[in-house]
Amino acid sequence: MTINRMKPLTLLLAVAPMFVGCSSSYLVLLEDHDGSTGQVVFKSADGETVLDRAGSATRIDRKGDVFQADQKQIESDFGRALGSEPVRPEVYLLYFETGGTRLTAESAAQLPKIIESASRHPAADISIIGHTDTVGAAADNETLAKERAEQVAKLFGAGQLDVKEIAVTSHGEKNPLVKTADETPEPKNRRVEVTIR
């Protein structure tokens, strides 16, 4: 028996036995967290079975037997496994006014959402990476990017949230979101990336 996933994030689950009174196991394709559905090819000695719709399923011991799994049955069979999934990492980009550590108004408005996100992650592991555009000396931009990242890190200060670790890093002007020539003021490059796991 072989299972080939055509999309890395495709959710596929198996259970045994399948239904009450039935001794077979089955595979079911679930919708990804982003709402898309990939494809799974199940290969056995009897041939191949393709699952390509959310909720499509096949019995492991029956060739080509594809059916639509009932949502209640999926919840009954896989509810515990689905409920134990870790909270997915969330990534935020915060942008800054030129030459300093002042957030743009739009980014400042995102701060409550980011704090709320961090509160949903038990023992949050937070990565904060500062960046600049290419205006100014590279060494100065390295320092400025670090200051931006440290400014954002204060949001998750001691005692405010259940935070396991905060890693603050500076990429200076070395990792632009938008590639530009030197001495180019690019708003999208003046940013801090916050990843909450």
Side-chain angles (χ1 to χ4, degrees):
M1 168 175 58
T2 303
I3 300 171
N4 293 331
R5 292 180 180 194
M6 306 307 286
K7 182 177 176 186
L9 293 178
T10 297
L11 295 176
L12 176 73
L13 300 171
V15 66
M18 182 182 145
F19 300 118
V20 175
C22 179
S23 62
S24 66
S25 299
Y26 74 106
L27 302 173
V28 61
L29 182 66
L30 301 179
E31 188 176 85
D32 282 331
H33 296 283
D34 66 2
S36 66
T37 303
Q39 184 183 70
V40 171
V41 179
F42 172 68
K43 296 179 182 179
S44 70
D46 295 326
E48 289 185 1
T49 303
V50 177
L51 303 178
D52 58 5
R53 295 183 329 265
S56 61
T58 186
R59 292 176 177 86
I60 292 174
D61 60 353
R62 295 185 191 173
K63 178 183 174 184
D65 181 18
V66 177
F67 60 97
Q68 189 69 25
D70 177 74
Q71 187 61 36
K72 286 184 179 177
Q73 189 65 48
I74 292 172
E75 289 172 12
S76 172
D77 292 338
F78 303 110
R80 286 185 60 196
L82 292 171
S84 65
E85 278 191 297
V87 179
R88 297 181 59 78
E90 297 178 66
V91 179
Y92 298 92
L93 295 179
L94 296 172
Y95 298 100
F96 290 80
E97 302 290 349
T98 186
T101 59
R102 183 175 176 175
L103 288 166
T104 64
E106 295 81 11
S107 289
Q110 284 191 63
L111 296 179
K113 181 179 179 183
I114 296 171
I115 297 292
E116 195 274 331
S117 168
S119 71
R120 289 194 309 265
H121 291 256
D125 182 354
I126 301 173
S127 167
I128 303 171
I129 304 172
H131 302 267
T132 67
D133 58 23
T134 58
V135 175
D140 293 342
N141 285 333
E142 186 77 21
T143 300
L144 177 57
K146 182 77 177 262
E147 290 171 354
R148 288 174 174 166
E150 289 172 345
Q151 180 83 7
V152 171
K154 291 176 183 174
L155 293 171
F156 311 104
Q160 295 184 46
L161 295 167
D162 180 17
V163 175
K164 176 181 167 191
E165 182 176 350
I166 300 175
V168 176
T169 310
S170 171
H171 285 191
E173 63 180 50
K174 294 178 289 196
N175 189 13
L177 197 60
V178 178
K179 291 198 182 292
T180 67
D182 197 20
E183 297 299 330
T184 303
E186 172 51 57
K188 295 224 179 274
N189 291 338
R190 296 191 299 267
R191 72 194 191 281
V192 161
E193 298 173 11
V194 180
T195 304
I196 303 170
R197 296 179 187 85

